[in-house]
Amino acid sequence: MTRTISVGVDLKQQLKARAAHFRERMAAQGTLVVNLVSSPGAGKTQLLERTAVALGEHLSLAVLVGDLATNRDAERLAPYVPVRQLTTGGACHLEIPLVEAGFEQLENQRPDILFIENVGNLVCPASHDLGEHMRVVLLSVTEGDDKPGKYPKMYRTSDALVISKIDLLPYVPFDVSFAEQDARTIQPDLKTLSVSAVTGAGLDDWCQFLMQAHEQLKHGNATSHCN
Amino acid sequence: MHEYSLVRSLLRQVETIVSDEGGGVVEEVRIEVGAFSGVDITLLELAFADEASRHLGYQPRLQTTAVPLEVECQRCRSRSVIEDFEFRCSECGHQQVIIVSGEEVRLMEIEIRELNNAS
């Protein structure tokens, strides 16, 4: 005899619940969690190096940095900020269990801001909630201004777009307003910023944006499009 | 996305549920796949064909239903299906819309053949 069992559950329910729990736990202790996503080489690590120096005077910071292999990014960041490398052993994105485990190994477990530098990839990290309060996507000007529309899920689930390497704008055909407009077609609420981690242009605005987001979190106003 | 790991997770959940329900042979697994879930149905079906017999020792059927990406307008409250990833209300053109379906992959039903314990 056959019978049908009704289920109706999300296949990623457990991971989503863990991410939601991590987000609540971090908010309760006043830690803003920022998930930095981009294609490889968009400048996430260099932006974090500069951010750690500039923002480190005002807020306590910590970083979890994801890569398939090597500790190179953690070694770069270690002089500036408590950091743990998360090596995925081949996986192209981070998942919440890796973040939870890495967080437990951090020296500073009550930072004002915890940055998670995701594995460079504009596809898979879009589908994985890491318990962040804010997802920030970097788009470097050398990648081309037509990228947002090609990766709709990443842009739809992001809260802010940082156009990076703007010191190279004179040398590449990249229209900043086109890229911003393309991204806003997918996510109209997207906050947009432009930075050069080499010259420091836009870095003050970026740091102000982070400080405001941290203030909002402390007052219970954090919103995110990633979950 | 990662269709193989998703299928392995699906099979583990199916096994647990069937065992909790008193056991049986799984004849068919029915799932819904959202258009904005990041999961490709063809790849998911291929992964299921590869993984199911390895996991269960036999091959059940997989029925997939595609769920469109649907949004609700925050101004006029109408619902629209988004096909080109241009997030906009089809009624009033407003851009402030929230996703109401199409992001998830759901295990909906499991059809089992019960083992006859009475005899």
Side-chain angles (χ1 to χ4, degrees), chain A residues 1-14 16 91-93 95 121 123-125 127-128 149 151-154 156-157 181 184-189 225-227, chain B residues 1-2 5-7 9-10 13 17-18 21-23 27 30-31 36-38 71 85-88 95-99 103-115:
Chain A
M1 193 181 115
T2 62
R3 73 180 173 102
T4 301
I5 306 169
S6 284
V7 188
V9 296
D10 185 342
L11 285 187
K12 285 160 71 176
Q13 193 178 38
Q14 281 186 345
K16 284 181 178 175
C92 57
H93 63 277
E95 293 199 19
N121 176 355
V123 186
C124 311
S127 297
H128 296 275
Y151 300 94
K153 183 148 189 176
M154 185 57 91
R156 179 69 195 181
T157 58
Q181 209 173 342
R184 287 213 180 96
T185 306
I186 301 160
Q187 177 52 274
D189 295 337
H225 295 99
C226 66
N227 45 79
Chain B
M1 241 232 339
H2 299 274
S5 63
L6 201 64
V7 160
S9 166
L10 167 66
Q13 292 184 44
I17 292 164
V18 171
E21 291 274 333
E27 300 249 308
R30 294 173 195 138
I31 60 171
F36 207 50
S37 65
V71 299
F85 301 120
E86 200 167 309
F87 287 83
R88 191 183 290 278
Q95 274 201 290
Q96 294 290 345
V97 294
I98 54 164
I99 296 174
E103 285 191 296
E104 289 169 351
V105 182
R106 281 181 184 276
L107 169 57
M108 299 307 291
E109 289 179 343
I110 308 167
E111 189 181 296
I112 58 167
R113 190 173 74 244
E114 288 180 318
L115 300 170

Side-chain angles (χ1 to χ4, degrees), chain B:
Chain B
M1 241 232 339
H2 299 274
E3 284 75 9
Y4 272 84
S5 63
L6 201 64
V7 160
R8 285 193 282 272
S9 166
L10 167 66
L11 290 166
R12 279 195 299 273
Q13 292 184 44
V14 166
E15 277 186 309
T16 306
I17 292 164
V18 171
S19 162
D20 289 349
E21 291 274 333
V25 175
V26 181
E27 300 249 308
E28 186 166 287
V29 176
R30 294 173 195 138
I31 60 171
E32 287 184 354
V33 181
F36 207 50
S37 65
V39 173
D40 182 275
I41 289 182
T42 307
L43 291 179
L44 192 79
E45 287 170 346
L46 284 171
F48 190 85
D50 260 5
E51 288 289 316
S53 57
R54 196 178 333 202
H55 226 88
L56 303 171
Y58 56 92
Q59 187 68 47
R61 296 182 302 273
L62 177 70
Q63 188 196 91
T64 53
T65 304
V67 177
L69 171 58
E70 197 178 12
V71 299
E72 185 182 280
C73 178
Q74 295 302 281
R75 186 162 69 187
C76 73
R77 298 285 158 194
S78 6
R79 293 198 170 190
S80 325
V81 170
I82 304 290
E83 282 173 346
D84 52 4
F85 301 120
E86 200 167 309
F87 287 83
R88 191 183 290 278
C89 173
S90 61
E91 289 296 316
C92 73
H94 196 51
Q95 274 201 290
Q96 294 290 345
V97 294
I98 54 164
I99 296 174
V100 289
S101 69
E103 285 191 296
E104 289 169 351
V105 182
R106 281 181 184 276
L107 169 57
M108 299 307 291
E109 289 179 343
I110 308 167
E111 189 181 296
I112 58 167
R113 190 173 74 244
E114 288 180 318
L115 300 170
N116 189 357
N117 295 326
S119 59

